[in-house]
Amino acid sequence: MKRVLPAFWLIILLTLPLWLRDQYILHILITTGIFIIAAMSLNLLLGYTGQLSLGHVAFFGIGAYVSALTTLGFDVELLGGFRVVHEPWPAVTGFFIAIVIAGLSGYVIGKLSFKVRGAYFVIVTISFAEVTRLVALNWVELTQGPLALTNIPPFTLGFPGLGDYTFWDKTAYYYLVAIVGLVAYVVISRLVNSRIGRAMIALKENESLASSVGIDVTHYLVLAAVVSAAIAGGAGSLYAHYIKIIDPDIFLFIYTVTMVIMVITGGKGSLAGPVVGGLIFGFLPVIVRPFAAPAVQWILYGGLTILVVFVLPRGIVPTVQGWIASRAQSKGAPAGLIWAGNSEPGDAKR
Amino acid sequence: MRQYASKTALAAIVLAAGLATGAGAQETIKVGVIQPLTGAFAASGNYVANGAKIAADEINAKGGVLGKKLELVIEDNKSNPTEAAAVAEKLIVRDKVPVMMGAWGSGFTLAIMPKLMEYKVPMLVETSSAGKITTSGNPYIFRISPPSSVEAVAFAKIVDKLKIGKADFLVVNNDWGRGAADDFGKMFKEHNIKVGLVETMDPPAQDMSAQLAKIKASDADTLIITTAVEQLTLIFKQAAALGLKKRIITTGGSQNPDQLIEQAGAAANDTTHITFFTPWNPNVSADPAMAKAFIDEWKKRGYPFAGLTESFRGYDGIRTIAAAINKAGKAEPEAIRAAFWQIELPGMNGTIKFNKAGPAGQESGQSNPGIYLIKIENGKVVLPSA
Amino acid sequence: MDQFLQHLVNAAVLGGTYALLGIGLTLIFGIMRVVNFTHGELYAFGAYTVYLIAAALGLNFFFGLVVAVVAGMLLGAMIEITLLRPMRQADIDTVMLVMIGAWIVMQNTELLVWGGVAKAIVTPFPDAPLVIGPVSISWLRVFVLAAALLLILGAYVLIHRTKLGKAMRATFQDPDAAALMGVHIKAIHTATFAIGSGLAAAAGALLGPVFLVTPTMGDLASLKAFAIVILGGLGNITGATIGAFILALVEELGAGYVSSGYRDAMGFLIIIVVLLFKPTGLFARAERVG
């Protein structure tokens, strides 16, 4: 059963557009999928290394802007009179550059921020995201500020001999997001299950102990930050080329909050957690919209968040996994069970 | 006999039901309306939506469009561009509207524009004033509200009378505000008016005393302000607290003078405003009878008087769309789009007729309304004597 | 020079109210170690309460201020008892998540009740400003500064001169020893959160009439409060007060002489710079980081 379940979900994931004809739901799936990728990357920092990064949307936004600017081209004058002109490049190149630059910013922020821990780190990460937003808003020459970067072209892949294919169609974009999501999932799972991952979990559990046995704490934290930021940047690029318009509101704290809620309710520190959390909070607004005013919807999410923390503190996925594991244990009871108490087997029949 | 009767009755009921639903399904032409009904701009969005409803009811009372009733499908963009794009998608894909009106804020309208290209559905822009909207090469955009370039041109006709020597700008830091500073600045230079400081403020900013202190110390005689009513209230109060004595002229069409008087009190006195509709004096409207009828209906429905400065756009917008549908002869996106270029009808502030704007071959439509200069004196809105 | 003096006066008024926010949060974040996302909402709550009493019900403005502070304290106590007390053993990010949930619920309840449109509060102060040489300041702002300073003094006296204050400091330095000495730990936690929240509500009640009351007004206030707490050092009231005035000054001078658009970024830049170079804040005594 354990082997069958992931394969089952994989089949559903890959064949979805074939039997789901509703374009609107497909659209929701695509944007939800992009946010799930970002949430998975946040999980790496939040769940596995235990660092409360509340500025995660900064990496997402940086990826989006870098990708958009790479494909649109820009012309800015820097301090000292240097003029930087960039010609438009293909969208796919933008995607990879976005990943690199986002990863780099993860490195810089990681190196700077990990001098502080815990609550201070929270504040630094929030501040970083806010400063990024204000830069995007005010550096109008580069980012168009609140005018937004518009007409961002979609991805175009060139197949030798077959010609070009442009991702206008929703079905095609769905597959693109699904594939990138799968790649991200595999990367994260390989990282987490490797020696590096174990070191990360060790320092989450007990940092001073971990460093006393020789684990270079800062090194692993920075590594986690880089990978996490790079993946988030990739998700941002996907977002930019799908929605085709990017404005500084993408850096708003509320998007980080949404990702955090996805991760923690789904189950931080578990691979499937962000996926489950993402699906719930991606579709909840759509389901609730016809019935409740937006303010009421948000009150529901807030209440749900608090409820999950009180009732399912580890998140949905770990709790369900634990529940399944304990059921499996009790079902397998007859073989080799140590009887507790004084009753003999067969007592009940009397 | 009973069986025969019941079968006949059943058939009759089914037939009647079929006719009713069938007829009902063909009876309406849907028009999508996207406005901020919640969030920071909820007040404005609701004014526009309610103005739209008055127009729809009026049109339906006169027989509707192409013999069918006009049905407004109103969606909330939550004062957010991503949400705006999402509801536009829903309206087009799910509700299959052949035409839309929206989306109040320029950011929201810009976010929807790629969808219009993708699905080839036209949209009437009733409030947004970013220049980019009509210069991006999107042939599905038809705008009745003026961008600041059009506003500046209209203002140029009366600016000499005001005898401005040097003007400072205090604008909200977005396309609307910066665009206004650019366009008015250009126009001023053509009229030998010097341009001094250009200060900006973030849209949610509440403390402008730093910028105002700077402006107070400058040598300009006039201050041009472009922002919405909440920030205007704060600016007036803070300017009064600083003892700022310059002449203040506001632009942009989102001033809502009645709300200014109510919330800024005495600080709003002696301020001048460029507006696009004067509900305080419908006689100077392009069509006084229509203006009076609209104002009366608005009051009858119990809506706040202050909302008239924005709701007229919803009213004009729906009437324009109805005219286009009538001209097109069918409720189909491409036909309606072509029809927009051919219509001409009286609006609240001038004739509505679309001129080409933007890159050749992919022009958007822009209509050029008139403007009115009003002043607040002793807590009342007055039209300055010529 | 004139401009500079005007900026100084503006900064002083803002600094006073920022200090209330900062002191309130340094008690909660600094001493209780709760990443309090609801601090901004208490600020907004204070403002809306004054709006309710003074504008909607038309009662006395000063009565409204008093009600706002008291109501803020009660609300804070309620939050502590229902949400924080059961979570006392949980780790910091779980508590943070609960506070995020509470923040979302509070802000949207405010939105639901009052609507998204900004509200103005009319005050009994004269419109004409007090003019001293080149500097103008409205009477309302004079009152706000005076009230803020009074409350700051009151907070200082409470923490450092009263038995309650001593019990608070003892509880958070060494809870076990304090319990052994007969201190009611649970009550102290509630009282600390209530006082911190009351101060935030006071800040909102004083600033609400100066600007406008909106449901999202708390967000920026919250972030600035965190900046002040970090600047001044966790748990350090004097530090928070000085930090608040520094932030207000940097904002005001930055907006006046550098760039008005980046005004609100100043606070965040301060946070980042301070935390990078002096993580314990400018004034903290030896304090373990994190």
Side-chain angles (χ1 to χ4, degrees):
Chain A
M1 188 58 186
K2 215 173 160 212
R3 284 296 164 91
V4 171
L5 211 54
F8 171 69
W9 288 118
L10 202 61
I11 294 176
I12 298 248
L13 180 72
L14 291 175
T15 58
L16 201 73
L18 300 176
W19 47 269
L20 181 71
R21 284 285 146 206
D22 188 331
Q23 290 289 303
Y24 180 60
I25 304 238
L26 203 54
H27 163 73
I28 300 290
L29 269 174
I30 293 174
T31 45
T32 304
I34 293 175
F35 274 101
I36 288 179
I37 298 176
M40 287 199 291
S41 72
L42 175 63
N43 189 22
L44 194 60
L45 272 181
L46 195 64
Y48 287 98
T49 50
Q51 296 302 314
L52 308 169
S53 168
L54 286 193
H56 208 67
V57 80
F59 303 124
F60 183 82
I62 286 174
Y65 265 99
V66 166
S67 195
L69 285 169
T70 310
T71 48
L72 288 173
F74 56 86
D75 178 2
V76 284
E77 193 176 304
L78 298 174
L79 290 168
F82 288 117
R83 199 169 195 95
V84 179
V85 181
H86 168 77
E87 294 301 313
W89 281 352
V92 181
T93 323
F95 176 72
F96 287 110
I97 294 187
I99 292 181
V100 167
I101 304 250
L104 254 153
S105 51
Y107 177 78
V108 169
I109 295 308
K111 265 242 146 17
L112 293 177
S113 322
F114 288 119
K115 288 168 132 187
V116 300
R117 293 282 192 281
Y120 285 108
F121 179 69
V122 174
I123 311 295
V124 169
T125 52
I126 297 179
S127 312
F128 170 60
E130 258 307 296
V131 171
T132 323
R133 186 182 73 86
L134 288 164
V135 168
L137 193 65
N138 285 296
W139 195 0
V140 181
E141 215 197 346
L142 178 68
T143 65
Q144 300 295 305
L147 280 81
L149 293 172
T150 52
N151 291 327
I152 301 174
F155 288 115
T156 302
L157 291 180
F159 294 105
L162 290 170
D164 290 337
Y165 179 76
T166 305
F167 283 85
W168 281 110
D169 181 35
K170 279 202 184 23
T171 311
Y173 218 92
Y174 169 83
Y175 278 116
L176 182 65
V177 172
I179 290 173
V180 173
L182 277 172
V183 169
Y185 186 92
V186 167
V187 165
I188 293 178
S189 97
R190 294 292 290 269
L191 187 67
V192 160
N193 289 321
S194 72
R195 212 192 57 179
I196 300 173
R198 282 197 289 276
M200 288 180 188
I201 296 173
L203 69 91
K204 177 178 86 160
E205 295 300 325
N206 192 329
E207 194 177 309
S208 26
L209 186 59
S211 72
S212 74
V213 296
I215 296 179
D216 183 350
V217 172
T218 311
H219 170 78
Y220 284 107
L221 285 179
V222 173
L223 184 62
V226 171
V227 174
S228 171
I231 295 178
S237 167
L238 286 176
Y239 187 74
H241 293 278
Y242 178 62
I243 303 282
K244 303 189 183 60
I245 173 169
I246 292 289
D247 73 343
D249 275 356
I250 203 174
F251 290 107
L252 282 174
F253 185 56
I254 196 69
Y255 290 113
T256 302
V257 168
T258 312
M259 285 181 217
V260 169
I261 293 180
M262 285 178 181
V263 171
I264 299 198
T265 47
K268 60 181 171 142
S270 78
L271 286 169
V275 181
V276 171
L279 284 171
I280 294 176
F281 284 96
F283 276 91
L284 212 53
V286 182
I287 298 172
V288 178
R289 174 188 282 140
F291 307 111
V296 176
Q297 285 178 37
W298 275 102
I299 294 179
L300 278 171
Y301 305 153
L304 189 65
T305 309
I306 298 179
L307 204 67
V308 166
V309 170
F310 270 86
V311 172
L312 300 169
R314 287 185 301 156
I316 295 175
V317 170
T319 310
V320 168
Q321 279 177 344
W323 183 69
I324 292 178
S326 68
R327 283 288 295 269
Q329 254 186 9
S330 61
K331 275 213 179 100
L337 178 71
I338 300 168
W339 290 101
N342 296 318
S343 60
E344 294 287 317
D347 263 355
K349 289 193 191 126
R350 295 218 199 111
Chain B
M1 187 61 192
R2 225 189 283 151
Q3 277 183 340
Y4 184 84
S6 62
K7 272 196 193 140
T8 322
L10 191 60
I13 292 172
V14 169
L15 194 60
L19 274 175
T21 51
Q26 293 158 8
E27 205 53 83
T28 69
I29 292 183
K30 291 188 186 170
V31 172
V33 176
I34 303 176
Q35 289 292 311
L37 301 176
T38 57
F41 308 114
S44 305
N46 278 294
Y47 292 151
V48 173
N50 289 329
K53 283 188 218 166
I54 292 180
D57 290 341
E58 207 179 271
I59 291 168
N60 285 336
K62 295 199 190 126
V65 178
L66 298 177
K68 301 183 191 140
K69 293 248 177 273
L70 199 66
E71 183 190 335
L72 297 180
V73 185
I74 304 179
E75 288 287 344
D76 178 15
N77 65 29
K78 298 188 193 158
S79 304
N80 175 309
T82 310
E83 189 66 24
V87 294
E89 177 106 28
K90 177 202 166 274
L91 282 170
I92 296 173
V93 171
R94 276 250 161 115
D95 298 293
K96 307 225 187 313
V97 298
V99 62
M100 299 191 289
M101 176 173 86
W104 196 82
S106 298
F108 317 149
T109 306
L110 285 165
I112 294 174
M113 280 165 62
K115 300 276 174 207
L116 303 177
M117 296 281 282
E118 189 184 337
Y119 291 107
K120 305 200 193 332
V121 173
M123 184 163 88
L124 184 123
V125 178
E126 86 297 335
T127 307
S128 308
S129 56
K132 238 183 173 183
I133 291 173
T134 43
T135 55
S136 307
N138 188 321
Y140 297 94
I141 288 284
F142 294 90
R143 173 157 63 175
I144 57 174
S145 50
S148 43
S149 51
V150 171
E151 203 185 338
V153 164
F155 186 50
K157 301 196 183 111
I158 53 173
V159 73
D160 293 325
K161 271 188 265 184
L162 294 168
K163 301 209 187 340
I164 305 172
K166 186 173 180 188
D168 288 333
F169 283 91
L170 177 59
V171 296
V172 64
N173 186 9
N174 58 25
D175 174 54
W176 176 40
R178 286 171 180 265
D182 284 341
D183 291 320
F184 277 82
K186 245 186 282 180
M187 186 270 284
F188 282 165
K189 292 204 180 108
E190 284 164 14
H191 286 252
N192 286 322
I193 299 173
K194 292 204 260 302
V195 174
L197 297 165
V198 179
E199 292 295 314
T200 61
M201 50 205 166
D202 251 4
Q206 297 202 325
D207 192 353
M208 277 66 73
S209 26
Q211 293 93 320
L212 287 168
K214 228 168 145 179
I215 290 171
K216 180 181 168 189
S218 86
D219 62 343
D221 53 77
T222 305
L223 174 60
I224 311 283
I225 311 180
T226 304
T227 184
V229 62
E230 283 90 6
Q231 272 187 327
L232 280 175
T233 308
L234 292 164
I235 291 171
F236 289 167
K237 281 165 77 167
Q238 287 162 23
L242 284 174
L244 195 116
K245 294 267 180 284
K246 301 177 202 274
R247 167 178 31 202
I248 291 178
I249 302 179
T250 71
T251 82
S254 287
Q255 304 96 328
N256 204 323
D258 292 300
Q259 192 174 331
L260 277 177
I261 295 172
E262 190 193 321
Q263 294 190 336
N269 283 335
D270 296 324
T271 53
T272 311
H273 308 272
I274 301 176
T275 62
F276 305 112
F277 180 51
T278 53
W280 314 273
N281 207 329
N283 293 317
V284 304
S285 254
D287 187 337
M290 183 171 72
K292 283 206 194 90
F294 175 62
I295 295 170
D296 288 339
E297 182 62 33
W298 182 261
K299 284 190 202 160
K300 204 165 93 179
R301 295 191 183 200
Y303 297 134
F305 187 83
L308 281 166
T309 51
E310 295 211 55
S311 61
F312 79 92
R313 296 183 178 127
Y315 182 77
D316 269 351
I318 295 299
R319 288 179 51 248
T320 311
I321 289 177
I325 299 177
N326 273 321
K327 188 79 184 193
K330 47 186 170 167
E332 237 122 88
E334 184 50 41
I336 297 176
R337 189 196 69 79
F340 271 123
W341 290 110
Q342 300 173 330
I343 57 171
E344 191 173 324
L345 67 153
M348 286 296 185
N349 48 16
T351 310
I352 297 175
K353 181 168 168 1
F354 293 107
N355 304 306
K356 294 199 171 168
Q362 297 165 290
E363 293 96 346
S364 315
Q366 175 71 55
S367 179
N368 296 331
I371 63 162
Y372 304 94
L373 205 62
I374 59 156
K375 217 171 162 201
I376 297 180
E377 275 171 16
N378 295 319
K380 288 212 181 324
V381 178
V382 298
L383 292 170
S385 38
Chain C
M1 193 53 194
D2 294 356
Q3 217 189 104
F4 182 71
L5 283 174
Q6 183 68 59
H7 285 310
L8 274 184
V9 170
N10 292 343
V13 176
L14 271 185
T17 41
Y18 283 179
L20 290 177
L21 270 174
I23 295 175
L25 191 63
T26 209
L27 287 177
I28 297 176
F29 181 42
I31 302 184
M32 291 175 73
R33 299 300 165 137
V34 172
V35 185
N36 184 15
F37 280 101
T38 62
H39 205 65
E41 290 314 303
L42 265 304
Y43 171 82
F45 176 77
Y48 271 110
T49 308
V50 175
Y51 175 77
L52 174 68
I53 304 277
L57 293 178
L59 300 171
N60 184 287
F61 173 72
F62 300 100
F63 175 65
L65 290 175
V66 172
V67 171
V69 178
V70 171
M73 288 178 64
L74 289 173
L75 183 59
M78 209 176 73
I79 294 175
E80 203 280 332
I81 295 175
T82 52
L83 293 176
L84 290 175
R85 201 178 279 190
M87 287 273 118
R88 199 113 62 72
Q89 307 306 325
D91 49 348
I92 193 166
D93 48 333
T94 317
V95 175
M96 178 187 76
L97 197 65
V98 169
M99 297 311 269
I100 288 180
W103 163 58
I104 293 176
V105 172
M106 286 178 75
Q107 189 172 110
N108 284 283
T109 309
E110 232 139 44
L111 189 57
L112 207 59
V113 170
W114 299 108
V117 183
K119 307 241 183 279
I121 302 174
V122 179
T123 67
F125 295 99
D127 283 326
L130 171 69
V131 183
I132 305 176
V135 173
S136 292
I137 175 171
S138 69
W139 282 103
L140 172 62
R141 290 196 185 211
V142 174
F143 169 74
V144 166
L145 181 58
L149 289 173
L150 211 67
L151 283 168
I152 294 172
L153 199 63
Y156 191 83
V157 164
L158 179 74
I159 299 297
H160 288 280
R161 297 292 152 97
T162 65
K163 257 173 79 176
L164 175 62
K166 206 184 279 191
M168 281 163 68
R169 282 179 290 140
T171 308
F172 298 112
Q173 271 173 20
D174 194 339
D176 298 318
L180 284 172
M181 300 295 281
V183 173
H184 257 114
I185 302 295
K186 283 190 188 160
I188 293 297
H189 270 94
T190 310
T192 311
F193 199 88
I195 293 172
S197 302
L199 286 170
L206 287 172
L207 277 185
V210 175
F211 300 122
L212 291 174
V213 185
T214 63
T216 52
M217 65 192 289
D219 296 348
L220 206 55
S222 213
L223 288 159
K224 289 186 186 180
F226 277 109
I228 294 167
V229 167
I230 288 172
L231 200 54
L234 261 56
N236 186 333
I237 297 186
T238 324
T241 312
I242 300 179
F245 282 101
I246 292 181
L247 176 65
L249 198 63
V250 170
E251 268 188 16
E252 190 64 29
L253 293 178
Y257 294 111
V258 179
S259 158
S260 43
Y262 283 102
R263 181 197 185 108
D264 291 323
M266 299 296 167
F268 305 117
L269 285 172
I270 288 184
I271 295 179
I272 295 178
V273 166
V274 170
L275 280 180
L276 291 181
F277 296 109
K278 203 159 192 292
T280 53
L282 297 179
F283 308 104
R285 307 156 204 123
E287 176 95 34
R288 202 199 156 251
V289 170

